[in-house]
Amino acid sequence: MYVYLNDRIVPRAEAMVSVFDHGFLYGDGVYETMRTYEGAIFMLDEHLVRLYRSASMIGLGMPLDQDRVKSALYDTLGANSLRNAYVRLTVSRGSGAVGLDPDLCRAPTLVIIAEEMKDYPKAMYEKGIKLIIAVTRRNSREAIDPRIKSLNFLNNILAKIEAKKAGADEAVMLNGSGYVAEGTVSNIFFFRDGVLCTPSVACGILDGITRDTVLDLAVREGLTVEEGEFSRDDLYGASEVFLTNTTMEVMPVSQVDSVRYGAGEIAGLLRRMYRGEVKAYVENVKGRGPSLWGYE
Ligand code: PMP
């Protein structure tokens, strides 16, 4: 396995970052998780826009422009001969003396890890997964805006620990005002009284790229969609709940706390539509050839 590290592709064993890296010391950095299908990185431009936005929101100057990041991503996939992959791109503030001041770091550290995509078990898509509503609240937008996809993940990890203790697959966090926000690595949707609901970005969530795609698909399908503030009772009263993210796509939920949900027709429909969208995207990228950056 090969890893991209600051301008070079190196064997995994040589992919080392300094103990003085502020990503390690302070969680000072940003990242993106992407997924490739048949060699094409799905929604690559959207992921890069979000990456540069996250970097800008923490005052981190990206070491490469977007085109060079694209080539670095495809070079890493090529070096590992991967077609269906999970890709994680991390940019930290870089290595510097101990201290919070970002100016202590001379240059950011950029790492790309690409691995064979391990699909979630089929049974999860068939039966749905189990959620809890965590006691841990989502960071407020005024503290660390959840739109920053940062290395500082402790908020989500605390909620994840709660989920594990409860034997659940994922935890949903409420925001400081008690409204539903998002999962630890996912956005949440629910279907209630004929309306597909999802917390608005103003609730303090990451504006997931899968969330955006699913919202577009739902509108295209003629579903009534509402982005807003929803209580835990709104969620409990839903007929269907599902999660979205880049790697799991559209994942049905069978249970939130002690409330159980039905078959997941809407989730099934949107997942099929999402798959169709992926297929069209891959065809389009393939048609353009050079977008694959020589990786075939
Ligand atoms: N919320 C959080 C906190 C996440 O970490 C993720 C995963 N990146 C998402 C939502 C879903 O985002 P996306 O659809 O862009 O993967």
Side-chain angles (χ1 to χ4, degrees):
M1 181 200 178
Y2 293 92
V3 173
Y4 185 97
L5 174 62
N6 295 333
D7 259 353
R8 287 197 313 139
I9 291 181
V10 297
R12 179 196 178 119
E14 291 169 28
M16 305 283 192
V17 175
S18 165
V19 294
F20 292 99
D21 196 288
H22 282 209
F24 174 70
L25 289 173
Y26 304 115
D28 186 357
V30 295
Y31 79 102
E32 276 296 317
T33 298
M34 289 158 272
R35 180 169 173 173
T36 76
Y37 298 85
E38 295 176 38
I41 303 173
F42 187 55
M43 296 295 193
L44 176 55
D45 287 336
E46 287 75 2
H47 281 284
L48 291 183
V49 166
R50 190 170 68 186
L51 175 71
Y52 281 72
R53 183 190 75 192
S54 294
S56 137
M57 286 172 86
I58 67 163
L60 172 63
M62 284 291 293
L64 301 177
D65 67 24
Q66 292 203 18
D67 274 349
R68 292 207 33 221
V69 172
K70 278 186 189 175
S71 340
L73 286 164
Y74 278 110
D75 287 348
T76 313
L77 288 165
N80 290 288
S81 304
L82 288 168
R83 297 189 65 75
N84 293 299
Y86 156 96
V87 185
R88 159 132 181 170
L89 189 158
T90 307
V91 189
S92 78
R93 191 78 63 180
S95 143
V98 173
L100 299 191
D101 185 350
D103 292 335
L104 293 167
C105 308
R106 254 182 304 124
T109 304
L110 194 155
V111 174
I112 301 170
I113 299 170
E115 288 178 330
E116 188 70 37
M117 178 66 208
K118 289 182 209 79
D119 283 325
Y120 286 81
K122 256 204 175 112
M124 283 190 164
Y125 292 101
E126 283 159 13
K127 294 193 191 131
I129 61 169
K130 201 175 151 191
L131 310 187
I132 57 150
I133 296 180
V135 174
T136 305
R137 296 286 173 103
R138 189 68 175 115
N139 283 330
S140 79
R141 291 167 75 201
E142 294 75 19
I144 303 176
D145 191 333
R147 286 167 73 239
I148 305 169
K149 200 162 165 55
S150 87
L151 301 185
N152 203 310
F153 240 57
L154 208 43
N155 179 219
N156 314 45
I157 291 167
L158 292 175
K160 178 72 182 177
I161 291 170
E162 289 187 52
K164 286 191 78 174
K165 276 196 186 139
D169 301 292
E170 169 69 308
V172 176
M173 288 177 277
L174 307 177
N175 65 18
S177 311
Y179 293 111
V180 177
E182 62 181 338
T184 66
V185 290
S186 57
N187 292 114
I188 187 161
F189 287 76
F190 61 95
F191 193 67
R192 197 189 155 125
D193 302 327
V195 181
L196 183 65
C197 303
T198 195
S200 65
V201 176
C203 290
I205 60 167
L206 180 74
D207 43 350
I209 290 164
T210 321
R211 174 186 179 277
D212 279 354
T213 306
V214 165
L215 280 173
D216 285 349
L217 292 172
V219 169
R220 200 189 298 169
E221 185 60 21
L223 295 174
T224 309
V225 172
E226 189 183 337
E227 293 178 71
E229 285 183 328
F230 302 104
S231 68
R232 98 173 41 222
D233 286 333
D234 291 329
L235 190 57
Y236 290 155
S239 55
E240 244 193 72
V241 179
F242 63 88
L243 302 179
T244 61
N245 82 12
T246 295
T247 50
M248 65 168 78
E249 304 171 335
V250 178
M251 177 64 81
V253 169
S254 59
Q255 195 173 339
V256 179
D257 295 334
S258 57
V259 181
R260 291 174 189 275
Y261 302 92
E265 267 171 53
I266 303 288
L269 168 72
L270 290 168
R271 179 149 190 264
R272 283 193 299 280
M273 290 181 80
Y274 186 85
R275 277 288 164 133
E277 197 66 13
V278 167
K279 221 171 153 205
Y281 183 95
V282 171
E283 285 309 312
N284 184 32
V285 168
K286 270 187 180 161
R288 279 189 275 129
S291 310
L292 280 175
W293 300 89
Y295 172 57
E296 253 302 321

